[in-house]
Amino acid sequence: MAIRRLFIANRGEIAVRIIRTCRALGIETVLGVSEADRGSLGAHLADRVLCIGPAQPALSYLRVETIVQAALGSGCDAIHPGYGFLSERADLARLCEAEGVIFVGPTAEQIEAVGDKLRARAAAEEAGVPVIPGGAAGTPDEARALAAAIGVPILVKAAGGGGGRGMKLVEDARDLAATMDMASAEAGAAFGDARVYLEHYVATGRHIEVQVLGDGAGGVIHLGERDCSVQRRYQKLIEETPAPHLPAVTRDALHAAAVRFAARLSYRGAGTVEFLYDVPRDAFYFLEMNARIQVEHPVTEAVTGIDLIAEQIAIAEGRGLRFAQEDVSCAGAAIECRINAEDPARDFAPSPGTVSTVRWPTGEGIRVDTHIIDGARIPPFYDSMIAKVIAHGADRAEALARLRAALANTRIEGIATNLAFQTAILADADFARGGVDTGFLARFLDQRIAA
């Protein structure tokens, strides 16, 4: 069924991004906005705007029934959830199905299967995808036995969530029980699911993920990998493709493992299979799957020339995969910097307010995804990311040079941002060499404090 009118259940840059593709496809857009986003760029660009509630997400963007009723009431055929908010909520997908609205994403069952980390680990093992030694431990005795088997250090992780919440490092086995209690309490408060599990801690690892598209009937292709190892407290700051200095055999094995995992689920739509790459051992392990469009999808689009939002819509319309694996090729390299309204000098405290003046960079190979224009207001209720600056080049050196120049030509006045901090990372010699691990940013911050 062709989608004629699409409800966008999101805000910020991803709302603008979805509107852009819909315009190109001739699809009308209805944007659901909170009271705080009535004057946003997305509200000006959408064909129609509906207020879905107060500024607080729990009273607007996170209300499943409100979103579906708004879509039905505005005559929309489909809902695109973007990322964050309700994008990985099975109850939204399920209610869409019950009400006859197309959900641009995977099925409710697939969202549940990958949202539960223990179920996802089991599915990975069934698909022959390596997982980090570990597993569930229901009692203190089971935890001690498992810890003895896999060895310390150990990472205690939440079974029902992500983003670093409920994740604790155990370096001494005597601290295991107390740490599991803390992680369980944090996970219960954050996700309503207090279950935790154990994994051996990989000290020198890189976060590498593979973009996949599935037709919902077992057909799956990959669109290459992304290296997202520059993270602060498990939040990504810089992403790039291809992953630098990755052995070709390992790269191919990563792609194949991601396809096997998604195919086992008969996955539908765009998704990302995340891995931890153990650098000293040249081995990789399944981490999780994100069942949605990813923030960092533009770097994949830059090297493949494929509009991932358009492919999400085509799959949701029942047109399946429009590319065979051999049709997908990657040209050059791309790097993305996330620009956040936060103050690195104040421990990255959020910096809401009004952007008095902004100048985004332009030029060959440069793309900016943003919802920020002169006079834009940044409410205190939402994620602090205000833009993504993406540079594409014939190789990594050219992409990096273009990104450095792009940040130098960016001006944002009226609020504090991490622009200068990102500029400093791009100038770092280790980052310039490529292939840094997930401990890079902590070392980088320590060096800045010591200097």
Side-chain angles (χ1 to χ4, degrees), residues 264-417:
R264 184 163 186 86
L265 299 174
S266 293
Y267 188 78
R268 184 185 74 189
T272 299
V273 186
E274 298 188 337
F275 297 93
L276 183 65
Y277 174 55
D278 187 332
V279 179
R281 292 181 173 84
D282 185 26
F284 63 85
Y285 307 100
F286 172 82
L287 282 177
E288 64 180 1
M289 182 176 192
N290 292 326
R292 54 174 165 75
I293 194 72
Q294 201 86 326
V295 173
E296 56 270 25
H297 75 274
V299 293
T300 298
E301 293 184 328
V303 300
T304 62
I306 294 174
D307 182 331
L308 285 169
I309 302 294
E311 296 314 307
Q312 283 188 297
I313 291 172
I315 293 168
E317 290 177 329
R319 290 189 281 154
L321 299 174
R322 300 192 295 177
F323 303 93
Q325 188 63 64
E326 55 269 26
D327 298 328
V328 179
S329 60
C330 297
I335 311 175
E336 171 184 286
C337 268
R338 299 188 188 195
I339 306 302
N340 298 333
E342 61 187 20
D343 188 351
R346 297 175 52 240
D347 194 26
F348 298 88
S351 176
T354 299
V355 177
S356 56
T357 304
V358 63
R359 186 180 75 192
W360 296 115
T362 58
E364 186 176 0
I366 298 301
R367 165 178 166 178
V368 179
D369 282 15
T370 186
H371 58 295
I372 299 301
I373 56 178
D374 287 354
R377 288 183 60 248
I378 300 174
F381 310 101
Y382 312 116
D383 185 87
S384 65
M385 191 181 74
I386 59 172
K388 303 176 303 198
V389 180
I390 305 104
H392 180 219
D395 54 27
R396 187 175 189 271
E398 185 173 67
L400 181 57
R402 286 177 172 174
L403 188 55
R404 286 170 172 163
L407 294 198
N409 288 320
T410 301
R411 295 286 181 274
I412 307 168
E413 297 178 2
I415 59 167
T417 75

Side-chain angles (χ1 to χ4, degrees), residues 42-344:
H44 288 291
L45 295 176
D47 294 298
R48 185 178 172 190
V49 176
L50 284 180
C51 184
I52 54 174
Q56 294 85 350
L59 301 176
S60 51
Y61 294 108
L62 291 174
R63 293 179 70 94
V64 171
E65 292 187 356
T66 299
I67 295 295
V68 175
Q69 288 305 313
L72 288 169
S74 55
C76 289
D77 313 300
I79 294 176
H80 196 306
Y83 52 70
F85 292 133
L86 297 175
S87 61
E88 293 180 281
R89 285 273 294 273
D91 48 350
L92 175 60
R94 189 167 285 118
L95 186 56
C96 283
E97 184 176 342
E99 296 289 351
V101 178
I102 297 171
F103 179 70
V104 183
T107 66
E109 292 74 19
Q110 291 164 351
I111 293 172
E112 288 172 338
V114 300
D116 184 320
K117 302 300 185 292
L118 287 170
R119 283 183 64 186
R121 270 180 64 96
E125 290 181 295
E126 290 165 4
V129 177
V131 298
I132 299 173
T139 67
D141 286 343
E142 289 176 359
R144 280 190 288 273
L146 182 57
I150 64 178
V152 291
I154 288 169
L155 211 51
V156 182
K157 303 174 75 171
R165 307 289 294 277
M167 188 182 297
K168 305 288 181 188
L169 177 64
V170 178
E171 298 183 278
D172 187 325
R174 292 171 296 186
D175 300 330
L176 180 60
T179 305
M180 287 183 66
D181 287 344
M182 285 191 292
S184 180
E186 186 175 320
F191 311 118
D193 182 349
R195 292 176 302 146
V196 296
Y197 64 103
L198 310 182
E199 282 185 349
H200 180 71
Y201 176 67
V202 177
T204 307
R206 290 168 59 185
H207 178 119
I208 298 178
E209 61 187 32
V210 179
Q211 177 71 59
V212 296
L213 289 173
D215 63 7
V220 176
I221 61 172
H222 73 81
L223 283 75
E225 80 285 354
R226 298 183 286 257
D227 191 325
C228 310
S229 300
V230 180
Q231 302 178 5
R232 176 180 173 271
R233 297 178 182 172
Y234 304 107
Q235 299 299 311
K236 300 166 186 171
L237 284 175
I238 298 175
E239 302 98 344
E240 62 181 294
T241 187
H245 312 309
L246 194 64
V249 172
T250 305
R251 194 186 312 274
D252 291 343
L254 273 164
H255 296 165
V259 169
R260 280 202 308 279
F261 180 79
R264 184 163 186 86
L265 299 174
S266 293
Y267 188 78
R268 184 185 74 189
T272 299
V273 186
E274 298 188 337
F275 297 93
L276 183 65
Y277 174 55
D278 187 332
V279 179
R281 292 181 173 84
D282 185 26
F284 63 85
Y285 307 100
F286 172 82
L287 282 177
E288 64 180 1
M289 182 176 192
N290 292 326
R292 54 174 165 75
I293 194 72
Q294 201 86 326
V295 173
E296 56 270 25
H297 75 274
V299 293
T300 298
E301 293 184 328
V303 300
T304 62
I306 294 174
D307 182 331
L308 285 169
I309 302 294
E311 296 314 307
Q312 283 188 297
I313 291 172
I315 293 168
E317 290 177 329
R319 290 189 281 154
L321 299 174
R322 300 192 295 177
F323 303 93
Q325 188 63 64
E326 55 269 26
D327 298 328
V328 179
S329 60
C330 297
I335 311 175
E336 171 184 286
C337 268
R338 299 188 188 195
I339 306 302
N340 298 333
E342 61 187 20
D343 188 351

